[in-house]
Amino acid sequence: MDLHYIGKKIKQIRLRNKKTQQQVADECGISKSLLSKIENGQTASAIATLSKISEALGVQLSWVLDDNPEQDLVLQQGSNRQSKIGDESMGYSYELLANRSKYSGIEPTIVHVTPKTINQRQEKTYTHSQDEFIYILEGTIHLLYDGEKHFMEKGDSAYFQGSKPHLFIPINDEEAQVLTCFIDRV
């Protein structure tokens, strides 16, 4: 999936909702300039930012990220999964695991946490409206959650409110892989 396609979908749904860039940017707590760059495919954006934009536009994040038609059954072979999306120097990239209905309440992804030496993110946390479940598939991270650091390694899991500040922090020079499910709050 390329950044131009993501931006095109965001712009289409924004226009369909008859919202200006400024309105959406204000709702998301981002600059109009950043939203414009996202819509024009000029910058990669954090998954939390894309989640906020999706929420402001009334669609699921997976709808923005995926271009496959909706299906009742989703089978995804690893060899056919889309490549990573995102800017590794900003802390992570991610893979969408399943194309699902934009009306479903869960979004499974694999977050690839960038090794410490190339990660340029300086503990700037994220927030979003969904709850989040994580399971460490490979490697180790610190989960920074609401001001506290929690060591997590392969096999560990956590469930938390996305509305509280959080971040996956690399511990060493090995990439960590985190299965992440965003769950809409009811």
Side-chain angles (χ1 to χ4, degrees):
M1 170 114 16
D2 66 35
L3 299 177
H4 291 284
Y5 183 75
I6 291 171
K8 181 179 176 181
K9 287 190 87 170
I10 289 170
K11 184 174 183 176
Q12 286 175 340
I13 195 70
R14 178 181 59 78
L15 294 174
R16 190 176 312 144
N17 287 344
K18 298 181 179 174
K19 290 187 174 185
T20 66
Q21 283 184 335
Q22 190 65 59
Q23 288 172 318
V24 173
D26 289 347
E27 286 181 51
C28 298
I30 62 173
S31 69
K32 180 182 171 187
S33 173
L34 176 59
L35 180 58
S36 177
K37 287 178 182 177
I38 292 168
E39 285 187 357
N40 292 315
Q42 296 173 342
T43 187
S45 182
I47 196 166
T49 301
L50 292 176
S51 177
K52 288 178 183 182
I53 293 169
S54 298
E55 181 183 343
L57 297 174
V59 296
Q60 296 295 325
L61 177 60
S62 63
W63 180 85
V64 172
L65 298 177
D66 200 349
D67 60 352
N68 295 318
E70 294 181 9
Q71 305 167 5
D72 291 337
L73 172 65
V74 178
L75 298 174
Q76 184 76 42
Q77 294 181 339
S79 60
N80 294 334
R81 191 165 48 240
Q82 297 173 1
S83 61
K84 296 178 189 178
I85 302 168
D87 182 355
E88 291 181 345
S89 68
M90 291 307 293
Y92 65 87
S93 58
Y94 49 96
E95 298 174 69
L96 186 62
L97 293 178
N99 172 39
R100 56 143 186 100
S101 169
K102 65 180 179 175
Y103 302 108
S104 177
I106 187 167
E107 297 183 57
T109 61
I110 294 178
V111 175
H112 298 266
V113 181
T114 304
K116 192 172 187 173
T117 55
I118 59 175
N119 189 327
Q120 297 175 5
R121 191 157 186 88
Q122 299 296 319
E123 296 195 18
K124 184 174 189 295
T125 57
Y126 297 109
T127 60
H128 48 79
S129 63
Q130 296 96 347
D131 282 356
E132 193 167 338
F133 168 81
I134 64 171
Y135 179 84
I136 310 302
L137 297 169
E138 294 292 334
T140 57
I141 64 166
H142 278 121
L143 169 62
L144 179 60
Y145 180 73
D146 203 20
E148 294 184 28
K149 276 187 183 177
H150 305 274
F151 176 81
M152 298 186 74
E153 61 187 345
K154 184 176 180 175
D156 292 349
S157 63
Y159 188 99
F160 54 89
Q161 293 179 3
S163 60
K164 294 195 176 180
H166 61 281
L167 179 67
F168 304 159
I169 302 172
I171 291 179
N172 54 35
D173 290 332
E174 300 293 322
E175 175 183 284
Q177 294 181 11
V178 182
L179 172 64
T180 304
C181 295
F182 295 95
I183 302 133
D184 288 341
R185 296 194 68 142
V186 180

